[in-house]
Amino acid sequence: MTRYFVLLPEALLVALAVAVMVAGRFGWLQATSRRWLPLAVSVVVLVALGVELWAGALVGTFFGGALVSDRFALFAKAAVLLTAAVAIATTDWTAEDSLFLGLAMPLLAAFGVMVAASSADLVGLWAGLEVAGAASVVMVALRRPDLSLRLLVAGGIASALVLVGLAFVYATTGNPNLSGIRAVIGNEAPALPLAIPVLLLLGGLAVRAGIAPFHVAGLQVGLGASPLGAGLIFGTAAVAAATVGMKLTAALVAIPDVYVPWVNVVSALAMVGGGAAALAVRSPRPRLAYLAVSQLGWVAAGVGTHFRSGIGGSLFLLGAFAVAATCGPALLGRAEGGEPAIHGFGTLRPVRAAGLALAMLSLAGAPPLAGFFGELAVAMALAQSGSYVLLGLGLLGSVLAIAAVVGTLRVLYIQSPLEESRRGAAAALPAVTALSTAGAVVFCIVIAGYGVFGNPIMGLADQGAEALGLR
Amino acid sequence: MTLLAAIVQASPTPAPVPGAGIFTSPFLLSLLIWLPVFIAVAIALMPNPRGRYDVLMKQIAFFTMLGLMFILFIAYNQFENFLPTMQYEEKVPWLPAIGVTYHLGVDGPGLVMLMLSGLIGLASVLASLGVRERVRAYFSLLLLTQASVNGAIVARDMFVFVMFWAAAAVPLAVLILGWGGPRRTTAAWRLLGYWGLGTAALVVGVLALYTLAGGRSFDMDVLLKATLTPRNQVVISIAMIVAAATRLPLFPLHGWVRDVLAEAPVGVAVIVAGAATRLGAFLLLRTVIAAEPAAGHLLSPLLAALAAMTVGYAGLAALRTVDVRHMAAYLAMVPGGITVLGLAAISPLGIAGSVLSLFTGGLAAALIAGVCATLAERAQSRSLAVLSGLAPRMPNVAWLLIIAALALLGVPILSSFTAEVMTFFGAFKNQPIGAFAVAAGLAVTAVALATLLRRVLFGSPNPDAPGVSDASLGETWFLGLLAGALLWVGMFPGGPKIPGTEFPLFDPGLLNQMTAGISDLASPYTPPTPGGVTQ
């Protein structure tokens, strides 16, 4: 029985999400719950994280091999639980459209990533991906039903691509299990019938992740969503897709020719295009979104190396990406009035401004923050695999991204704040609460300490890559 | 000690300095990095309603730099110059999965760079005492810059080095954007662009080196001692030269220097010209020259050519410009060219000269940038058409500008003379064309400097010019500190001695201390003696 403790975090998340939604729907919680409920949910998620770190060390399979508990799952689940806890704590709940749904959806999105991370077969991967995507759609629908419809359609197309790809892979290998697929493919030469479904599959995942050049739908939707909703789209939903991508490519590692060129092209486009686009825009939220695209390109580049060190580096970077990309928009708060909305943010909301600056710098890969260590780990794998062109393009993207972030730093810390009379609703400042301040402080510590105290994290990421069967 | 003896002593036969090695600390170098970071964070977190604690923040920054200088003086004084190994080493496994260790250490050249960094840091805070706006952010960023420069100097792991090398760009760009002159935006973007390009080249070079060295460790003791084919050495060295050329800067990758040094606030211009840019030559010394001897031999003519083009271009550009801060920016490029010429000499004497010129060149570049910025500020104009006959009205600035000019040219009594003599003595043997071209460039620089001095200081006063005032006490102190250091090392390169003895009074001498490790760095280029024993 105790071996099932490893599933306790998932159970806690789902139970908590359902309880919050039901309590909100039936009005069981009073208006004062706005003060303590986010704190309570954050604490429960942190408890789930503690349980995961304690029980997740156990390696085993569950439900007839449908779910697996290994180091990859442990890393991805721990990263997404930490992300959810910090995101909920840092969110300005006055800027969200619904407290109860706003609290429940990050939990369900995290649950989706957890399912995908511990899934051992194609069905689990797809289910996890869909749960994470659906949570984003709900968050957007709370504010902009038109945009949520758009996200739903884009997600539907992505799902169709993924499903067709999964079906073809299943039909080709005759096995829904990832280890089974890997065993079958290991004995076959790459062939066109397999290359096409893999292309469709990865195309669907790219749309889900919002990686360039497939970022258009998700990006526009994210710009219209609430802060936390944007964080879910730019961060957690992309993490779900990246997690699925890592597991699938690990299963297909015996035939890298089928997917590596495609992944390399997409990652190059994302790294350079994301950095250039971040430099071209001035508003903070689009800039955050493009920075996320750029860093996701690095994650994809690591996956494209199809070696343990590359996927390990990608996984390490994915942890940093999850925290920064999900919490960044939440730290920004309302601030939808373009660049002037954050003029003098460093003076008016110093802790949030510090968090936002660190989130952007980390997404850009500036030293010595989380993203820098992750990108350098991937860069190392690229050099080892001889992909110097991709490495050069990635570095170019990072330079562009850092230049973009310096522009935002100037606005945050050097520009004078807007006069109160000129500050409309779109530029309203985030409310200051003890929880949001503490959340921002924790966020800063995580981003600054991720690499500095990164030995156990990187070791776990490396073991995670090993657990996928990579050498 | 006579000058010739000092120069001879710079060759790799160091003698132990009495009193050294009594004190040591397992975290002395970490203090130099993390103390400013800690103080910067503390300043950033301090409440400062309506600027009430601006003065306190300036004092905290000043005493932090003074404290760092004190720590550095201990490190300098206790340094054992007869040991060829790294000293004050710290080695802690950091990210063992990819072979990263938190490895710090200094040898002679590292100690010279640290002393330079400490002096420049102190001068930059003194130069910044006049900052009135957003004092908290300014001094936090300045301290972070200082920490990153110190970190890059003492790093003995390439990953750590890259981290600190890259980390300086962001705070500097924000400092320029926030407190710079009218063209600050251009300056900041150019800095980020060029330094970003250099960092990218460095990362590629380091990762290629890491891969070719077996991919197990980023430790310099492993990477820089790996046996590589000449072709690989050349490829990696070219990446390192690009990185160094963007930072030092060397022609043709100097596009940022004019705008940055002309638009940055004085304190920032001082730290950029004095310490941050010297890291470029330091990188060349550590990697191309010391670690890749085959590439060093092959690429030394290229380095000499870059040095000559840099000095020549800087001199000509300084001659043409009509903006005093632009002129200072061009002139600040000259010491970098001389340092690279010393490295291109690939001889023990040339390398020793280039190590000393890291120190003297940094001071001279910071002094010319600082004094011209002060002059422009105090005279309320940057135009050479307006500035004229200022010597009687700005005596302090006038003297300091003269010292800066003499330091750039390497005039006796100033330490840059010793460095230039060593560099040229070393270079004329192996790179005669390059050395001649650099000397010609220096002649053009001399003309530019003479023109500057004649017009600005000793020309007929301009009745239409705005009112001028001499340097304030803080400005005189920071400029005097730089000039004093140049004079001190120039007069006592081996340190002052207790009369009648060979015991150092309190300063063991920069030339003595810098020799530790130079023999090791220069060993690939040491000619064999007739008896078969290498010198």
Side-chain angles (χ1 to χ4, degrees):
Chain A
M1 188 63 197
T2 51
R3 65 189 293 266
Y4 284 95
F5 269 131
V6 75
L7 301 176
L8 189 58
E10 282 93 331
L12 266 176
L13 251 61
V14 172
L16 188 61
V18 170
V20 168
M21 280 193 290
V22 169
R25 173 67 185 82
F26 294 105
W28 293 344
L29 293 171
Q30 295 171 348
T32 54
S33 60
R34 186 173 286 273
R35 292 185 196 155
W36 57 265
L37 195 55
L39 173 64
V41 171
S42 290
V43 169
V44 174
V45 176
L46 284 176
V47 169
L49 172 62
V51 172
E52 180 61 49
L53 291 173
W54 168 65
L58 178 75
V59 177
T61 56
F62 302 89
F63 308 126
L67 291 181
V68 60
S69 170
D70 59 12
R71 292 292 184 265
F72 180 88
L74 174 60
F75 186 96
K77 286 156 78 174
V80 79
L81 282 169
L82 179 67
T83 300
V86 178
I88 288 169
T90 51
T91 297
D92 169 20
W93 289 100
T94 62
E96 294 298 323
D97 305 292
S98 163
L99 173 67
F100 303 106
L101 285 174
L103 283 170
M105 290 309 124
L107 301 179
L108 289 180
F111 173 70
V113 177
M114 292 167 83
V115 169
S118 51
S119 172
D121 60 28
L122 301 177
V123 177
L125 289 180
W126 181 72
L129 192 64
E130 289 306 307
V131 171
S136 310
V137 173
V138 173
M139 282 299 282
V140 178
L142 292 173
R143 178 166 297 188
R144 294 281 302 272
D146 56 324
L147 289 179
S148 77
L149 192 61
R150 193 163 152 181
L151 186 61
L152 195 64
V153 171
I157 293 168
S159 285
L161 289 171
V162 170
L163 269 181
V164 169
L166 291 178
F168 264 96
V169 170
Y170 173 64
T172 309
T173 59
N175 205 323
N177 192 284
L178 291 174
S179 55
I181 292 169
R182 187 185 163 97
V184 172
I185 282 179
N187 300 322
E188 288 184 4
L192 190 64
L194 195 58
I196 291 171
V198 167
L199 192 64
L200 292 176
L201 180 54
L202 294 180
L205 288 176
V207 175
R208 277 281 186 210
I211 193 169
F214 305 102
H215 63 289
V216 181
L219 189 84
Q220 291 303 323
V221 172
L223 299 183
S226 69
L228 189 55
L232 287 191
I233 292 170
F234 302 149
T236 314
V239 170
T243 306
V244 172
M246 281 185 195
K247 295 202 81 157
L248 276 173
T249 50
L252 302 173
V253 76
I255 47 168
D257 294 346
V258 167
Y259 68 90
V260 166
W262 191 87
V263 170
N264 284 348
V265 168
V266 169
S267 60
L269 278 172
M271 289 188 290
V272 180
L279 194 59
V281 297
R282 299 182 72 124
S283 292
R285 197 189 276 184
R287 188 164 271 175
L288 261 172
Y290 284 120
L291 291 172
V293 168
S294 176
Q295 191 157 79
L296 211 52
W298 277 97
V299 173
V303 171
T305 60
H306 65 85
F307 290 118
R308 175 177 157 179
S309 62
I311 305 255
S314 279
L315 194 55
F316 182 66
L317 178 58
L318 193 65
F321 170 84
V323 180
T326 308
C327 300
L331 283 158
L332 180 60
R334 225 179 304 246
E336 288 148 15
E339 200 180 47
I342 56 164
H343 277 191
F345 205 51
T347 312
L348 301 169
R349 296 287 184 272
V351 181
R352 273 184 176 272
L356 181 60
L358 290 185
M360 286 188 152
L361 285 168
S362 176
L363 287 173
L369 302 174
F372 168 78
F373 289 95
E375 289 183 7
L376 219 54
V378 173
M380 207 179 68
L382 289 176
Q384 283 177 326
S385 64
S387 307
Y388 283 99
V389 174
L390 196 57
L391 173 59
L393 290 173
L395 292 169
L396 173 66
S398 289
V399 170
L400 294 172
I402 289 172
V405 176
V406 168
T408 302
L409 293 182
R410 177 178 66 161
V411 176
L412 286 175
Y413 288 102
I414 292 165
Q415 300 278 17
S416 299
L418 280 182
E419 290 171 21
E420 281 308 313
S421 57
R422 292 179 57 200
R423 188 179 287 283
L429 290 168
V432 179
T433 63
L435 178 62
S436 67
T437 305
V441 169
V442 170
F443 173 82
C444 292
I445 292 170
V446 169
I447 290 294
Y450 191 81
V452 176
F453 305 103
N455 182 23
I457 308 172
M458 187 168 271
L460 188 59
D462 187 51
Q463 291 173 31
E466 188 185 20
L468 293 177
L470 298 165
R471 282 179 296 144
Chain B
M1 178 183 288
T2 64
L3 180 65
L4 195 60
I7 292 169
V8 170
Q9 197 171 3
S11 63
T13 51
V17 175
I22 297 168
F23 171 85
T24 189
S25 161
F27 51 83
L28 188 138
L29 298 181
S30 282
L31 267 180
L32 297 175
I33 302 169
W34 300 112
L35 181 67
V37 172
F38 178 75
I39 300 289
V41 173
I43 289 178
L45 294 176
M46 267 176 72
N48 188 24
R50 287 190 285 280
R52 188 188 297 172
Y53 300 118
D54 280 357
V55 175
L56 178 65
M57 287 173 181
K58 290 176 186 178
Q59 288 170 344
I60 290 173
F62 171 73
F63 283 109
T64 303
M65 292 296 192
L66 203 62
L68 288 184
M69 202 58 230
F70 177 71
I71 295 168
L72 268 173
F73 187 74
I74 292 173
Y76 171 70
N77 210 278
Q78 294 295 305
F79 191 75
E80 298 182 79
N81 66 0
F82 51 89
L83 294 177
T85 55
M86 290 287 154
Q87 295 180 46
Y88 309 116
E89 269 194 300
E90 299 171 32
K91 197 169 185 177
V92 181
W94 185 2
L95 301 170
I98 54 171
V100 176
T101 47
Y102 178 74
H103 188 186
L104 310 178
V106 282
D107 55 0
L111 189 71
V112 167
M113 280 290 288
L114 272 183
M115 290 303 289
L116 172 71
S117 170
L119 281 167
I120 294 290
L122 192 56
S124 74
V125 168
L126 283 169
S128 305
L129 293 179
V131 170
R132 298 272 181 274
E133 291 179 334
R134 303 177 297 275
V135 170
R136 174 168 48 186
Y138 182 93
F139 283 97
S140 292
L141 292 168
L142 201 65
L143 287 167
L144 288 178
T145 307
Q146 177 72 13
S148 65
V149 172
N150 285 350
I153 293 168
V154 300
R156 292 295 302 160
D157 182 284
M158 271 297 186
F159 188 99
V160 181
F161 179 81
V162 169
M163 186 178 82
F164 284 118
W165 170 283
V170 172
L172 279 175
V174 178
L175 280 167
I176 294 165
L177 275 174
W179 292 265
R183 281 170 51 82
R184 58 178 175 257
T185 309
T186 309
W189 294 145
R190 285 192 172 199
L191 179 89
L192 282 173
Y194 278 92
W195 285 28
L197 169 71
T199 303
L202 176 65
V203 170
V204 170
V206 167
L207 290 178
L209 190 56
Y210 172 81
T211 305
L212 292 169
R216 289 186 313 280
S217 174
F218 278 98
D219 199 309
M220 287 188 191
D221 292 342
V222 176
L223 287 194
L224 301 183
K225 288 177 181 161
T227 309
L228 305 179
T229 62
R231 184 180 168 176
N232 287 335
Q233 287 190 28
V234 168
V235 170
I236 289 166
S237 296
I238 286 174
M240 298 299 181
I241 288 170
V242 170
T246 55
R247 188 61 69 101
L248 197 50
L250 294 176
F251 183 91
L253 295 172
H254 64 283
W256 59 271
V257 74
R258 187 192 71 178
D259 285 327
V260 168
L261 293 188
E263 302 302 328
V266 186
V268 177
V270 164
I271 207 166
V272 171
T277 49
R278 301 304 120 187
L279 290 176
F282 194 60
L283 173 71
L284 282 181
L285 172 70
R286 284 264 182 259
T287 54
V288 180
I289 300 301
E292 320 293 353
H297 277 291
L298 280 168
L299 296 175
S300 61
L302 171 70
L303 287 175
L306 289 174
M309 284 191 288
T310 303
V311 176
Y313 171 82
L316 287 171
L319 206 53
R320 277 196 63 210
T321 186
V322 291
D323 183 318
V324 72
R325 288 199 68 177
H326 285 178
M327 185 180 243
Y330 289 127
L331 292 170
M333 290 171 66
V334 171
I338 292 169
T339 305
V340 172
L341 176 70
L343 296 176
I346 51 170
S347 67
L349 187 60
I351 291 170
S354 72
V355 170
L356 185 58
S357 84
L358 280 173
F359 180 83
T360 62
L363 289 176
L367 185 57
I368 192 75
V371 78
C372 285
T374 305
L375 188 145
E377 208 167 292
R378 290 281 154 185
Q380 301 182 65
S381 174
R382 285 165 50 163
S383 170
L384 288 172
V386 174
L387 302 170
S388 184
L390 298 177
R393 289 181 286 168
M394 306 175 86
N396 290 346
V397 172
W399 273 111
L400 290 162
L401 182 57
I402 291 168
I403 293 175
L406 297 179
L408 282 173
L409 295 176
V411 169
I413 300 184
L414 293 166
S415 55
S416 48
F417 170 72
T418 318
E420 286 186 22
V421 166
M422 290 162 74
T423 302
F424 277 101
F425 278 18
F428 265 111
K429 185 178 175 191
N430 292 335
Q431 300 292 344
I433 299 172
F436 182 79
V438 170
L442 268 180
V444 177
T445 305
V447 174
L449 281 166
T451 309
L452 174 74
L453 297 180
R454 184 185 60 79
R455 187 182 295 174
V456 174
L457 297 185
F458 306 115
S460 52
N462 182 353
D464 300 327
V468 300
S469 58
D470 203 1
S472 68
L473 188 64
E475 288 162 348
T476 310
W477 265 102
F478 97 78
L479 294 169
L481 180 68
L482 300 173
L486 278 164
L487 278 164
W488 178 265
V489 177
M491 288 191 293
F492 303 104
K497 303 285 189 289
I498 295 172
T501 71
E502 275 303 304
F503 287 95
L505 200 54
F506 59 89
D507 170 11
L510 198 74
L511 267 182
N512 293 328
Q513 302 300 65
M514 77 171 214
T515 52
I518 284 188
S519 54
D520 198 28
L521 296 173
S523 58
Y525 312 107
T526 306
T529 56
V533 182
T534 54
Q535 281 178 348

